Amino acid sequence: VWLGPNCRAENNKMEYIGYSSGSAAPFSFWDTDDGQVVTRNSMHYLGRSGVDFGYLENGNHLNVEISYNDIGYHGMLSSDGGATYAAGQVNLTGLQQHHNWFHDNLSRMVIGQGGISVNGMYYDQASGGGTIHHNVSWGTGILDMYHETVNGFRTTNTTFNIYNNTFAGTQILEGYGNSYLTYSMSPLDVQRNNIYVRNININWQSGNLGNNQNYIIPGTNPLFVGSGTEGLFYRIQSGSPAVNTGQVITGITDGSVGAPDIGAYEYNGEEWIPGYTVPVSDGTVNDTEFTYSLNWLHFTNFKTGFKDNDVHATTTLNSTASYNFHGTQVAVVMEKCNNMGTARFEVLDGAVVVDTQDVDLYVVDPGGSTNVCPTGNASRETVFTSDVLAEGDYTMVIKLQAQNTGATPSRNSLVLDNLIISP
């Protein structure tokens, strides 16, 4: 998916993507567009990367948010990439990349044949600018994070603020393997409150910490809890040297339990889990979610008691409203009134009709008044309930089947409110 300006990608499950092994990530950014949000997605089994910051060298993608994503099992067809990837001097000023899991890079790692650059977060060729915080990476090959902070084409506004991350990768291959790597000595990323299981490598000097404070480095056991679903394995225990030893950073460590901790998880703090979650629904589908044919009008503020106070209505014979659903049964809520025609209800399994019924929706006031609709939401009823079906994918179709235009008033209308789907 290419995301244009201010597009939001939320709660998607993206798998088996990137067979070209190039820049065909689940999410990429178009041209020089800004303001995209990629949040609460799961991206697994990827040819190269999960989020690619686009194809345009020297471009801008400003004020982007990458948050609460689970990106793993990437690099299946390319050893040169990361869960998030940017290159070509792209300006990422304002980037907020936080509360993500990056894990299980599947790249082939052979020294001398590519693979040195496989990692969780990969910001190459002076791409950058922004804040990276509260991410957990493990199983990310030989680097948790790589950032080339400067090159001959871009030298300013390239650096990241890197706060409260847990870089938990452990891979060491023929001496290669770092939590963080940059070949530059200036400018330097600002690093605070991070856990590094492997070395920091500045200008190819392993153990050079750069602009770094309040950290846990190799040789100091962070005392991970060692249990829990994936990234929760890397929470810290009560005796961890990370507890209450972090630095206060406004907007980053707000809400700390006591003094800030080091790492992505606060002891006794929120045990956040990123990624896609199955939507929870009460089974109600509003009229705005249907696909309509011929002539329908959308009325807002229709009557009290109708779902969201809006309906779709038609007076055109053979007009249809359809909705695809997954479940075992469907019910239709519509208006019954003195100007209604006859509706045909069909449930389709593919092209096969598995349930059908014609219902005359004409009714007058049950109090006995002639040619008057029931008042308020009394005119709103469940007018059709399907048979119980085998769980599966179906289409509900509603059609204005018949009219009595000679009646007074004409009985020529349908007014659709909502569906109720049983799982």
Side-chain angles (χ1 to χ4, degrees), residues 172-409:
I172 302 291
L173 181 62
E174 297 184 20
Y176 290 93
N178 296 280
S179 289
Y180 171 89
L181 171 66
T182 185
Y183 74 69
S184 178
M185 284 293 290
S186 178
L188 290 174
D189 289 328
V190 177
Q191 305 190 57
R192 304 286 187 267
N193 298 350
N194 300 298
I195 294 176
Y196 308 94
V197 170
R198 297 175 290 184
N199 279 332
I200 301 169
N201 190 324
I202 308 285
N203 194 29
W204 311 121
Q205 300 173 29
S206 185
N208 185 337
L209 299 179
N211 183 0
N212 210 327
Q213 297 175 15
N214 299 75
Y215 45 77
I216 302 282
I217 56 174
T220 302
N221 187 347
L223 288 182
F224 296 132
V225 297
S227 63
T229 302
E230 296 184 305
L232 295 180
F233 184 97
Y234 301 101
R235 295 166 294 168
I236 53 178
Q237 302 179 46
S238 61
S240 169
V243 175
N244 292 334
T245 54
Q247 184 179 119
V248 174
I249 304 172
T250 301
I252 302 295
T253 60
D254 300 352
S256 297
V257 181
D261 294 347
I262 294 172
Y265 284 105
E266 181 87 0
Y267 177 68
N268 281 338
E270 179 188 4
E271 296 182 351
W272 52 269
I273 298 176
Y276 169 84
T277 58
V278 177
V280 176
S281 171
D282 63 0
T284 303
V285 178
N286 194 33
D287 60 286
T288 55
E289 300 178 61
F290 283 71
T291 299
Y292 294 95
S293 76
L294 297 185
N295 299 312
W296 292 79
L297 296 175
H298 182 209
F299 293 97
T300 58
N301 298 317
F302 184 67
K303 290 182 181 179
T304 302
F306 282 70
K307 181 170 174 57
D308 298 333
N309 288 337
D310 74 329
V311 296
H312 272 71
T314 184
T315 58
T316 302
L317 192 65
N318 296 320
S319 292
T320 63
S322 61
Y323 182 80
N324 298 324
F325 71 95
H326 182 93
T328 61
Q329 194 172 40
V330 60
V332 182
V333 180
M334 299 182 69
E335 182 171 49
K336 298 185 75 172
C337 193
N338 67 327
N339 61 343
M340 296 297 131
T342 297
R344 171 162 291 180
F345 301 98
E346 293 182 342
V347 181
L348 282 69
D349 183 353
V352 178
V353 177
V354 295
D355 193 0
T356 185
Q357 185 178 355
D358 288 352
V359 179
D360 185 354
L361 300 180
Y362 168 79
V363 69
V364 295
D365 191 323
S369 300
T370 303
N371 294 333
V372 177
C373 290
T375 57
N377 63 1
S379 64
R380 177 182 183 268
E381 294 188 21
T382 300
V383 297
F384 169 79
T385 301
S386 74
D387 296 335
V388 177
L389 310 164
E391 183 180 351
D393 296 316
Y394 300 95
T395 301
M396 181 74 238
V397 179
I398 302 160
K399 181 170 71 170
L400 179 51
Q401 179 69 11
Q403 298 173 310
N404 184 355
T405 55
T408 304

Side-chain angles (χ1 to χ4, degrees), residues 31-47:
D31 199 60
T32 59
D33 293 335
D34 304 328
Q36 296 91 339
V37 176
V38 179
T39 187
R40 299 193 180 278
N41 304 284
S42 292
M43 300 170 240
H44 293 158
Y45 306 108
L46 312 173

Side-chain angles (χ1 to χ4, degrees), residues 19-211:
Y19 282 78
S20 69
S21 76
S23 299
F27 298 108
S28 297
F29 300 108
W30 179 256
D31 199 60
T32 59
D33 293 335
D34 304 328
Q36 296 91 339
V37 176
V38 179
T39 187
R40 299 193 180 278
N41 304 284
S42 292
M43 300 170 240
H44 293 158
Y45 306 108
L46 312 173
R48 192 184 189 195
S49 301
V51 176
D52 190 295
F53 282 85
Y55 58 90
L56 192 64
E57 290 194 6
N58 303 300
N60 298 316
H61 294 299
L62 308 180
N63 302 314
V64 169
E65 179 184 343
I66 312 292
S67 63
Y68 289 97
N69 299 290
D70 176 0
I71 308 179
Y73 313 107
H74 52 290
M76 296 181 73
L77 297 175
S78 175
S79 60
D80 180 20
T84 57
Y85 175 78
Q89 301 84 233
V90 62
N91 182 358
L92 301 178
T93 298
L95 173 67
Q96 292 289 323
Q97 181 165 303
H98 62 91
H99 294 91
N100 301 284
W101 285 352
F102 306 121
H103 60 94
D104 297 301
N105 188 302
L106 299 179
S107 295
R108 175 175 176 262
M109 293 178 289
V110 179
I111 299 302
Q113 299 182 33
I116 292 178
S117 57
V118 297
N119 62 94
M121 291 176 277
Y122 187 3
Y123 291 95
D124 203 4
Q125 299 168 354
S127 58
T131 300
I132 295 176
H133 67 95
H134 288 95
N135 301 285
V136 183
S137 63
W138 71 95
T140 47
I142 57 175
L143 290 172
D144 290 287
M145 180 173 181
Y146 174 81
H147 184 206
E148 182 181 334
T149 60
V150 63
N151 66 15
F153 300 95
R154 186 165 182 244
T155 59
T156 59
N157 299 318
T158 65
T159 58
F160 287 122
N161 295 317
I162 304 172
Y163 302 142
N164 284 91
N165 299 282
T166 297
F167 297 118
T170 58
Q171 176 78 45
I172 302 291
L173 181 62
E174 297 184 20
Y176 290 93
N178 296 280
S179 289
Y180 171 89
L181 171 66
T182 185
Y183 74 69
S184 178
M185 284 293 290
S186 178
L188 290 174
D189 289 328
V190 177
Q191 305 190 57
R192 304 286 187 267
N193 298 350
N194 300 298
I195 294 176
Y196 308 94
V197 170
R198 297 175 290 184
N199 279 332
I200 301 169
N201 190 324
I202 308 285
N203 194 29
W204 311 121
Q205 300 173 29
S206 185
N208 185 337
L209 299 179
N211 183 0

Side-chain angles (χ1 to χ4, degrees), residues 410-422:
S410 292
R411 301 173 189 172
N412 65 347
S413 304
L414 289 186
V415 175
L416 174 60
D417 190 13
N418 65 275
L419 294 185
I420 301 173
I421 298 169
S422 301

